[in-house]
Amino acid sequence: MPSRPLHAFFASALVIALCLPTLHALGAQGEYNPLVYERLEVTARVSEDGAVTVTVRATLRNDGRVPVVPGYGKLPVSGIRQRSAGGLPLPGQRRVNLSVTVLSARDLTRNVDMEVVPLWENGSLVLRYSLWQPLRPGQRESFELSFRIENGVARGVLFDEFAFGIGPISNRVERGRVVIFPPAGSRVTYASPGPGSRGESVEWDLSGLPEGGRVRVWVEFSPLPLPMLPIKGYLVFWGALIVVMLVLIASRALRRSEGRRPRLAPRARPP
């Protein structure tokens, strides 16, 4: 019966035809990543209790020529601290483990909840989110997630610091920014790298960040009415205080030494 081989041939041809777009898409992704962050905004709000609430708003766009399923996306987050010994700052930085609680995650395009799972990979915290809706060429999908960092702020006397890093980011960023708001009643006294915008908050531009790029920012804030300084405010404040104390000690020692000098007896007047 020649019909069975013919049916088998057409069935095989249909399977191959259905698989070709998927194989082509896999080949295209092997050459380049067609997904682009059309917009990526990271906002961090520092609370008076030292916790930090981070909100990520993003829009993914498929710049490829075939449909793509985003699948699992990863957002590595790392904490940073100034190295110190006996309370004195030392050159260099060190990474710290963060305690993170996922507050919310929403696919804004489809108006459904997203799955976000905190994971540890190679000693770093990774927030893994899931987007399983296929994106056609040129199609976009927006989402928003927020999480709370319990131990994000390094406390000090009159000066506190918040530093964190994001990345490597899995997709190129077309337009983006990082914004940090200090606690109520405090103002930013130092920020590194130099922010592109400053006021009640500080802001850095992420536009053009390449695939695999990293973001690392450092902010110091204080209740003191100080302007934004080129170096950390606690260095200026405590350095000036030490200089004043040394001047007072030196002045007091000088007065004491002058008081101990023997005074010459007045000469007797000739008769």
Side-chain angles (χ1 to χ4, degrees):
M1 297 289 292
S3 59
R4 294 186 63 184
L6 188 61
H7 288 166
F9 170 78
F10 280 118
S12 301
L14 180 60
V15 171
I16 294 174
L18 292 175
C19 289
L20 277 177
T22 302
L23 294 174
H24 185 271
L26 291 175
Q29 292 187 52
E31 296 175 3
Y32 79 107
N33 184 356
L35 295 177
V36 175
Y37 280 119
E38 182 177 90
R39 180 179 64 91
L40 177 64
E41 182 174 305
V42 181
T43 302
R45 296 182 179 272
V46 183
S47 303
E48 295 180 19
D49 61 0
V52 183
T53 301
V54 181
T55 302
V56 179
R57 299 180 181 89
T59 298
L60 274 176
R61 187 183 69 232
N62 179 12
D63 277 358
R65 292 181 291 180
V66 294
V68 174
V69 177
Y72 288 125
K74 294 182 179 181
L75 187 67
V77 181
S78 58
I80 309 167
R81 292 284 189 277
Q82 178 79 41
R83 293 188 181 275
S84 62
L88 298 176
L90 298 176
Q93 304 167 0
R94 62 182 178 87
R95 298 178 66 178
V96 296
N97 294 333
L98 298 177
S99 175
V100 171
T101 302
V102 177
L103 301 177
S104 64
R106 191 79 175 167
D107 184 331
L108 302 178
T109 301
R110 295 186 294 144
N111 197 27
V112 296
D113 290 335
M114 290 170 49
E115 180 189 34
V116 177
V117 180
L119 303 172
W120 286 95
E121 294 184 359
N122 300 322
S124 298
L125 176 67
V126 176
L127 296 175
R128 189 188 71 184
Y129 60 87
S130 302
L131 291 173
W132 296 104
Q133 181 72 15
L135 295 180
R136 297 187 300 273
Q139 191 175 10
R140 299 164 176 81
E141 186 162 10
S142 299
F143 64 90
E144 177 180 303
L145 62 91
S146 63
F147 55 94
R148 180 181 173 91
I149 304 175
E150 300 296 339
N151 57 338
V153 175
R155 295 288 195 172
V157 179
L158 296 178
F159 295 90
D160 297 334
E161 292 183 344
F162 169 58
F164 78 117
I166 297 179
I169 297 177
S170 56
N171 307 300
R172 178 175 62 86
V173 179
E174 192 171 84
R175 292 183 293 112
R177 63 175 185 162
V178 173
V179 185
I180 297 181
F181 290 87
S186 296
R187 58 193 305 169
V188 176
T189 54
Y190 172 80
S192 176
S197 176
R198 63 188 68 180
E200 294 184 359
S201 62
V202 284
E203 178 180 325
W204 293 266
D205 187 14
L206 300 183
S207 301
L209 189 70
E211 178 182 348
R214 298 173 183 266
V215 180
R216 180 173 289 186
V217 295
W218 198 297
V219 175
E220 177 196 69
F221 40 87
S222 172
L224 298 178
L226 297 175
M228 182 86 72
L229 302 170
I231 61 175
K232 292 184 178 181
Y234 80 88
L235 294 175
V236 175
F237 181 82
W238 293 112
L241 187 61
I242 291 173
V243 169
V244 170
M245 291 178 63
L246 291 176
V247 169
L248 292 177
I249 292 173
S251 176
R252 186 175 181 181
L254 182 61
R255 287 198 301 268
R256 283 184 177 181
S257 64
E258 290 180 349
R260 292 175 181 174
R261 289 179 182 177
R263 296 182 179 180
L264 298 177
R267 294 180 179 180
R269 294 183 179 180

